[in-house]
Amino acid sequence: MTAPLHHVIIGSGSAGYGAAMTLRGEDADCMITMVTIDALPFYNRYDLPGVFRGHHDWRKLLAVPPARYDELGIKLRRSSRVVDVDGERQTISLAHQEDVAYDRLLVCAGGRSYLAENLIDSVGLMHGFGSFEAAMRVYRALPKGGTAIIIGGDMIGIDLALTLLDTGYRVVLIANQQTFWPHVVEPVERKRLLKALENKGMTIFADERPVGVLDTRNKKFSRAVALESGTEITGDVVMSFCGLSSSVEFMLGAGVDIERGILVNPELRTTNETIWAAGDICQIWHDKEKIYKFYHGWKNVRVMGELAARNMSGSHEIFDVEVEDRLDIDDDGNLRSTFWTR
Amino acid sequence: MTKDMNNTDIQIAICGSAGDGTIASGDIMKRAAALMGYNVIAFDLYPPEIRGFGKCISRIRISSEQTYSLKRESDIFISLNDNHAIPHVGEVRDYGAVVFEDSLIARVPEGRHISAHIKPAQVPYAFSIRQISEQATNSARSRNIVVLGFIAGLYDMPARVFHRVIAAKFATKPQIVIDDNTKAFDAGMRAGGAVFKLDDVAVGKPRDYSNGSDAVMMTGNEAIVRGFLEAGIGSYFGYPITPATSIMERLAVEIPRRGGQFLQTEDEIAAIAATIGAAYAGSRAATATSGPGLALMSEMLGLGVMAEVPLVVVVSQRGGPSTGLPTKTEQSDLNLAVYGGSGDARRIVLAPTNVEGCYRCAGMAFEIAETYQTPVILLIDLYLSNRYETVIPSEENTFAPKPRLRPEIAKGDIYKRFELTYNHISPRALPGEEGLMHTITGLEHNEQGRPNDAIHSVMSIKRHEKLNSATRFPGLTVCKRFGDEGPVDVGILGWGSTFGEILETMFEAQAEGIRCSAMKVVMLSPLPMDEIVAFFDDCREILVPELNYEGQFANLISGAVGRPVTRLSHVTGSPMVIAEILAEVRRLAGSATPKQKALGS
Ligand SMILES: Cc1cc2nc3c(=O)[nH]c(=O)nc-3n(C[C@H](O)[C@H](O)[C@H](O)COP(=O)(O)OP(=O)(O)OC[C@H]3O[C@@H](n4cnc5c(N)ncnc54)[C@H](O)[C@@H]3O)c2cc1C
């Protein structure tokens, strides 16, 4: 009898969660370990703007009750950061000084909010929105009817901004090249979309470059964003939504090819045959265009996770999702995207 | 998450290795909680081994209401050593908190970090405990204080209370120790305050803040010392043994200060012999030991019974037989306490069920011993000896000795120390009192105390029957019923430290709709039979949970009442488990026949 395989998944987002569930379906006996920095079991991040609609109990956000992981024999290792992967020894190293051996590794570490270099020094004065905890902090920092300043305004930010307007807050958007990311929007269309947002009630600064965030706690508003033009915009919280950069640092010694993300073939396998990658972290080879492409949005990501899991279990399916890049915002502020869906 | 700010009932468990400061941090936590005005019940488990080896766990229950035992699950669990903590992390309830180190200095083998064992419904809080300690104090030694700060920060507890307790705790150390630990606490508090709270543990305000100043927190052993001192103990002779030693350590300081006699003897036999001598001479005299010590004392205890000497013997039980489990709890010396020794040596045995009971029983023990002129055994166990509870002591000292009536004899009459009287209690003279010269001996004796075996049956009756009224001793709770009145499906009968778990179980069972009562029996010898029989009459099933294998109390009770009981034995060296009692209560409640249920009997 051969020992059951140990599948290790790094990350417990949409891709990692979808993969774990699929793996268990494919192989009842394998060992599955999910390692994640998160403190909570998987929930859909796209539900996070709901904190402004009173959804403050994270238990209600969870995709499955926590006990389900035990029932399915999926070991969930939370609050654990992977700092290194040794593709030859087939081990991952955790920050708390533990190595975990794997037979097959799936990397679903996603990405983190990209921050422009000139704002890095201001990071302590800004809020993130990538986790339940971060979302709740924004909720607590914003007084009723207060003002959120959004720099950039990728799709995550736009979705949040619309929720904020709907729930009685003010939003100032400092638009830039990343506005509407991951959609690629032509300048004319961009203007139209920004106008639609303005009609919805957003204050828009279209061609301004922020140079720093100021702590103005003792004044009427606790934050200000200084623009290159010399203007200062005041508000209660400042958030940067300028797209994602893949969380690949810990993969640098793994012996896999990395560009902006981890490079995988259409089967989502990396250049190391025991390592796969899925989700926001990976760039998938597009045979027709002859380039590696990111596919964002939770639906794509989920498909990737499940597909990688099946391939780790012996299949050879390929990721051939083709989505047109189309975005529209109607007069009521409703977003319609071809891949950024609810 | 919702949080009832008015009601607090949380249990914190801190687990580490001997040398990690686990018990010290538990101590600070419970003292701070008591100072804040909460009710506290706390119990530490520690190893017999030297520093650097065994496991230590400090569990502290903090509540705004009266509680009776530790909870069956902890709400907050802190690991100072994952190796020891891993087997216990399962005791944390769903949505409770698990706090642990995320930056170890040495590599751990795969699966030996606590993050591999935290259940998906528990909330992990990983932070750099060691680093924070080092940054604050240049040493990792204050990790145990950093975690306290973290808890205080996370649950918004007042720093000043902890500062006060830390200063008191290290008062005998150089100022730098206080300063460093305060800094470590503050640094931990900043870390805890910065973390987003995800668990649903609610720490509300204590019910009445002003109560805090009245309540005193003490262990069972400390309560016994306090009771003894208020009762005017004059002599103590003892030989150290876990878990009774701390009684002796405290009295070694307090008794000489009050002009009394204290001596650490060469062994337990000498200790009880000296105690008998002092008691015979009129001093309020006591000794304290554990099961193995009581075994050695049993012959001398017989002398106390035979010579009708009023002494007090504290017996704090631990796991046995022999050296057994010196640092673990058990209730297996009941037979020895009630029956141990040669001959028919009936004595009074009191088994308090909580710390307050230890204080009251100790306070009254001398008076009971003097009234009945016989040894009184205070039977507790390690769990009660070492368990902390907040107690509200009496405002007035009600335990002080009452004036003793000197025997009155007519001129020319001979004083009979063992005179046969209507209540079998003879007027007692002290040696040296003029005109009251008498003999005492371990031999059977006549009324004057002279050896005489012809009178053995009469004297046996005297020594037994004189104790009958002890179950109605004024002011002493010899037994008490709790819970539903009248007929019930299940009655839980308990004694000693286990009764707290029994009461908590009863509340849980009642909440489930089970008709349930509980009765604690404090006087194990003689037994308060009327109350016990009435309890049996009301209960369709009787359950007796206790910490020994044979069911010693169950045997005692069912033998005395002549009816069967269901035994629940727990001999792991740790306190009784509420879940085990509850499972048994449910099983027994479910066994009611439909007819019985319909009749409501
Ligand atoms: C607020 C918000 C709103 C969104 N709204 C929408 C929407 O409306 N529609 C839509 O289609 N998409 C939406 N998205 C995007 C979508 O959620 C992402 O595409 C998807 O979450 C990516 O999934 P993933 O599994 O690849 O990575 P993620 O969900 O980012 O998960 C990454 C996981 O990896 C873990 N991790 C990272 N580094 C390490 C490490 N070193 N060690 C261990 N673990 C690590 C993280 O803790 C995390 O668990 C939204 C995203 C956010 C943040």
Side-chain angles (χ1 to χ4, degrees):
Chain A
M1 228 174 73
T2 51
L5 290 177
H6 186 199
H7 297 293
V8 172
I9 301 168
I10 303 175
S12 63
S14 287
Y17 170 78
M21 295 294 159
T22 308
L23 273 174
R24 180 50 77 227
E26 294 287 310
D27 181 350
D29 300 321
C30 67
M31 287 160 60
I32 304 173
T33 302
M34 287 174 91
V35 184
T36 176
I37 300 169
D38 295 348
L40 298 180
F42 172 67
Y43 54 90
N44 279 306
R45 282 166 221 270
Y46 59 68
D47 280 333
L48 289 177
V51 300
F52 291 96
R53 301 191 193 278
H55 305 160
H56 297 168
D57 185 347
W58 56 262
R59 289 176 291 198
K60 295 192 178 137
L61 290 181
L62 298 184
V64 287
R68 191 83 186 112
Y69 292 90
D70 286 340
E71 286 162 17
L72 291 174
I74 297 171
K75 177 166 272 204
L76 188 57
R77 299 200 53 173
R78 291 163 296 153
S79 300
S80 299
R81 177 186 295 275
V82 179
V83 287
D84 193 24
V85 170
D86 186 332
E88 267 179 32
R89 279 178 51 230
Q90 295 184 211
T91 54
I92 61 169
S93 300
L94 305 180
H96 60 246
Q97 304 278 13
E98 179 189 0
D99 287 353
V100 176
Y102 62 81
D103 294 303
R104 283 165 197 182
L105 178 68
L106 175 60
V107 185
C108 304
R112 75 176 69 83
S113 193
Y114 174 79
L115 196 60
E117 221 161 274
N118 60 331
L119 291 177
I120 285 176
D121 288 346
S122 305
V123 71
L125 296 172
M126 296 163 77
H127 279 82
F129 205 75
S131 65
F132 173 76
E133 297 92 307
M136 283 300 294
R137 284 186 198 279
V138 176
Y139 170 77
R140 288 183 188 167
L142 258 180
K144 275 236 156 329
T147 302
I149 302 172
I150 289 180
I151 298 171
D154 59 25
M155 290 299 286
I156 300 172
I158 298 291
D159 189 31
L160 169 63
L162 291 171
T163 306
L164 287 172
L165 290 176
D166 257 10
T167 49
Y169 297 90
R170 290 183 58 236
V171 176
V172 178
L173 176 70
I174 305 172
N176 64 16
Q177 290 311 306
Q178 274 83 34
T179 309
F180 306 117
W181 176 97
H183 285 283
V184 180
V185 180
E186 294 302 318
V188 179
E189 182 62 0
R190 181 168 178 270
K191 251 191 171 154
R192 194 185 65 77
L193 293 175
L194 286 177
K195 188 81 200 142
L197 293 177
E198 204 163 33
N199 291 345
K200 181 77 184 157
M202 245 178 255
T203 306
I204 309 237
F205 288 80
D207 297 301
E208 295 269 18
R209 203 173 90 94
V211 289
V213 180
L214 313 171
D215 186 351
T216 53
R217 217 170 310 172
N218 301 327
K219 305 199 177 142
K220 188 172 168 221
F221 289 99
S222 53
R223 294 285 181 273
V225 176
L227 302 177
E228 209 165 32
S229 60
T231 312
E232 270 185 20
I233 307 169
T234 51
D236 299 291
V237 295
V238 179
M239 289 175 279
S240 168
F241 288 101
C242 295
L244 299 177
S245 60
S246 308
S247 309
V248 288
E249 324 71 50
F250 64 90
M251 288 299 290
L252 296 178
V256 301
D257 286 352
I258 297 172
E259 198 185 88
R260 279 178 298 148
I262 298 174
L263 303 183
V264 292
N265 68 16
E267 288 183 15
L268 305 186
R269 195 191 281 253
T270 66
T271 39
N272 179 314
E273 63 173 25
T274 59
I275 305 179
W276 282 255
D280 279 355
I281 198 170
C282 70
Q283 288 173 263
I284 307 173
W285 177 249
H286 194 287
D287 210 30
K288 270 193 223 135
E289 295 180 34
K290 303 290 179 210
I291 51 164
Y292 286 99
K293 284 176 73 170
F294 282 108
Y295 294 82
H296 295 289
W298 74 268
K299 271 195 176 157
N300 288 335
V301 161
R302 184 67 177 264
V303 168
M304 282 185 232
E306 292 170 357
L307 186 139
R310 287 194 295 277
N311 288 349
M312 287 166 80
S313 309
S315 292
H316 290 283
E317 297 176 36
I318 58 166
F319 182 82
D320 62 354
V321 175
E322 286 297 344
V323 272
E324 237 186 301
D325 182 354
R326 263 195 294 113
L327 170 67
D328 191 27
I329 304 174
D330 68 19
D331 291 344
D332 292 329
N334 297 316
L335 290 173
R336 258 191 297 271
S337 158
T338 40
F339 58 81
W340 198 267
T341 51
R342 271 295 167 85
Chain B
M1 292 203 176
T2 53
K3 165 161 149 172
D4 179 357
M5 289 302 294
N6 298 317
N7 202 359
T8 301
D9 186 12
I10 63 165
Q11 183 163 299
I12 302 174
I14 308 170
C15 182
S17 183
D20 282 336
T22 313
I23 304 297
S25 69
D27 192 50
I28 293 171
M29 186 72 234
K30 63 188 166 242
R31 288 184 193 285
L35 217 60
M36 286 180 233
Y38 294 110
N39 282 305
V40 174
I41 295 184
F43 183 60
D44 300 330
L45 274 179
Y46 48 86
E49 296 90 338
I50 52 163
R51 184 174 186 273
F53 287 99
K55 165 165 39 193
C56 297
I57 309 182
S58 184
R59 293 191 180 87
I60 306 130
R61 181 175 185 176
I62 299 170
S63 35
S64 44
E65 306 291 329
Q66 170 79 56
T67 52
Y68 303 93
S69 73
L70 290 175
K71 288 172 48 156
R72 48 179 171 145
E73 291 179 313
S74 291
D75 300 276
I76 300 168
F77 183 85
I78 299 167
S79 168
L80 290 172
N81 177 306
D82 285 359
N83 255 339
H84 291 313
I86 284 169
H88 295 276
V89 70
E91 77 177 46
V92 184
R93 68 169 174 81
D94 284 0
Y95 310 110
V98 182
V99 178
F100 56 96
E101 174 68 80
D102 75 353
S103 56
L104 300 170
I105 41 168
R107 296 203 78 75
V108 277
E110 183 171 343
R112 298 308 299 165
H113 187 258
I114 197 166
S115 60
H117 302 269
I118 297 172
K119 299 256 168 300
Q122 298 167 338
V123 176
Y125 293 104
F127 80 111
S128 306
I129 306 171
R130 172 180 298 274
Q131 240 174 47
I132 292 178
S133 172
E134 283 171 351
Q135 278 162 8
T137 70
N138 287 325
S139 146
R141 282 185 66 183
S142 296
R143 291 186 316 128
N144 60 333
I145 307 297
V146 170
V147 293
L148 286 185
F150 185 88
I151 295 299
L154 187 59
Y155 299 102
D156 209 11
M157 296 174 178
R160 65 191 156 77
V161 177
F162 285 90
H163 288 170
R164 224 174 107 184
V165 178
I166 288 169
K169 173 97 190 157
F170 301 110
T172 55
K173 303 256 162 77
Q175 183 62 32
I176 184 154
V177 177
I178 297 176
D179 294 346
D180 275 356
N181 282 299
T182 306
K183 279 189 219 154
F185 176 86
D186 289 346
M189 187 152 184
R190 281 191 294 278
V195 163
F196 189 88
K197 183 177 167 301
L198 288 166
D199 59 79
D200 69 354
V201 177
V203 182
K205 300 277 170 276
R207 199 165 47 158
D208 180 357
Y209 200 81
S210 62
N211 278 348
S213 49
D214 301 325
V216 183
M217 198 182 48
M218 51 179 131
T219 62
N221 279 1
E222 287 167 358
I224 284 175
V225 168
R226 190 168 177 140
F228 277 174
L229 292 172
E230 287 186 19
I233 186 172
S235 312
Y236 182 95
F237 305 95
Y239 186 77
I241 184 168
T242 304
T245 307
S246 61
I247 296 177
M248 184 167 126
E249 285 170 345
R250 197 71 230 139
L251 289 174
V253 177
E254 298 294 341
I255 291 184
R257 237 187 233 166
R258 292 163 161 80
Q261 304 293 319
F262 173 89
L263 187 71
Q264 178 177 329
T265 53
E266 67 270 32
D267 60 23
E268 285 88 347
I269 299 173
I272 191 167
T275 309
I276 290 175
Y280 172 59
S283 174
R284 288 196 151 181
T287 185
T289 187
S290 184
L294 181 63
L296 291 174
M297 290 181 179
S298 60
E299 195 211 340
M300 276 289 164
L301 202 67
L303 173 62
V305 172
M306 187 59 126
E308 304 198 31
V309 180
L311 65 145
V312 177
V313 181
V314 180
V315 180
S316 179
Q317 304 160 94
R318 62 192 210 183
S322 188
T323 310
L325 296 83
T327 59
K328 301 285 183 313
T329 201
E330 204 161 274
Q331 294 180 296
S332 51
D333 295 325
L334 180 143
N335 285 344
L336 182 61
V338 173
Y339 301 117
S342 62
D344 285 326
R346 196 184 198 198
R347 74 291 306 256
I348 292 173
V349 180
L350 298 176
T353 59
N354 55 20
V355 172
E356 173 139 17
C358 288
Y359 164 66
R360 299 205 181 282
C361 284
M364 297 181 77
F366 291 111
E367 203 191 327
I368 299 169
E370 285 157 6
T371 302
Y372 294 99
Q373 298 174 27
T374 199
V376 170
I377 293 179
L378 282 189
L379 186 61
I380 57 171
D381 63 6
L382 181 141
Y383 180 33
L384 196 45
S385 272
N386 292 355
R387 165 166 117 193
Y388 280 87
E389 288 177 29
T390 31
V391 172
I392 302 184
S394 316
E395 278 178 14
E396 300 163 26
N397 181 358
T398 50
F399 306 139
K402 314 253 176 326
R404 185 178 52 88
L405 286 180
R406 200 171 170 274
E408 299 263 327
I409 58 162
K411 231 188 169 139
D413 276 1
I414 296 171
Y415 168 58
K416 293 178 180 170
R417 166 68 188 93
F418 302 101
E419 187 179 352
L420 297 171
T421 64
Y422 74 99
N423 64 359
H424 311 285
I425 297 169
S426 319
R428 175 174 163 240
L430 300 182
E433 286 183 308
E434 200 185 337
L436 299 174
M437 194 150 63
H438 61 278
T439 309
I440 65 157
T441 168
L443 287 167
E444 185 58 285
H445 45 262
N446 62 17
E447 287 180 280
Q448 283 168 261
R450 304 259 165 78
N452 180 335
D453 49 15
I455 199 171
H456 183 51
S457 64
V458 173
M459 284 299 179
S460 294
I461 291 170
K462 171 185 180 358
R463 286 188 295 267
H464 275 75
E465 302 295 310
K466 72 174 177 178
L467 303 189
N468 284 350
S469 65
T471 57
R472 286 181 295 285
F473 194 82
L476 179 70
T477 304
V478 292
C479 66
K480 190 170 175 185
R481 180 174 172 169
F482 298 82
D484 292 329
E485 308 262 324
V488 292
D489 285 329
V490 185
I492 321 173
L493 204 52
W495 68 286
S497 68
T498 306
F499 194 72
E501 277 73 16
I502 290 176
L503 255 192
E504 295 279 348
T505 308
M506 184 199 76
F507 292 130
E508 289 200 29
Q510 286 181 319
E512 290 180 13
I514 297 173
R515 283 182 315 159
C516 187
S517 285
M519 177 180 266
K520 68 172 177 182
V521 180
V522 176
M523 189 173 276
L524 304 182
S525 172
L527 281 170
M529 287 306 292
D530 292 349
E531 292 86 345
I532 293 173
V533 169
F535 188 65
F536 267 73
D537 287 345
D538 271 352
C539 303
R540 181 171 57 74
E541 303 280 350
I542 295 276
L543 175 65
V544 184
E546 56 188 316
L547 301 178
N548 60 62
Y549 184 75
E550 288 181 4
Q552 297 184 10
F553 182 58
N555 291 343
L556 180 76
I557 290 286
S558 77
V561 181
R563 293 189 218 166
V565 298
T566 301
R567 291 164 166 71
L568 179 61
S569 297
H570 181 90
V571 276
T572 61
S574 45
M576 185 52 84
V577 177
I578 293 173
E580 283 178 19
I581 314 178
L582 189 60
E584 206 50 23
V585 169
R586 285 186 189 131
R587 190 183 68 77
L588 292 173
S591 67
T593 65
K595 190 176 161 206
Q596 281 169 320
K597 280 186 174 159
L599 289 173
S601 63

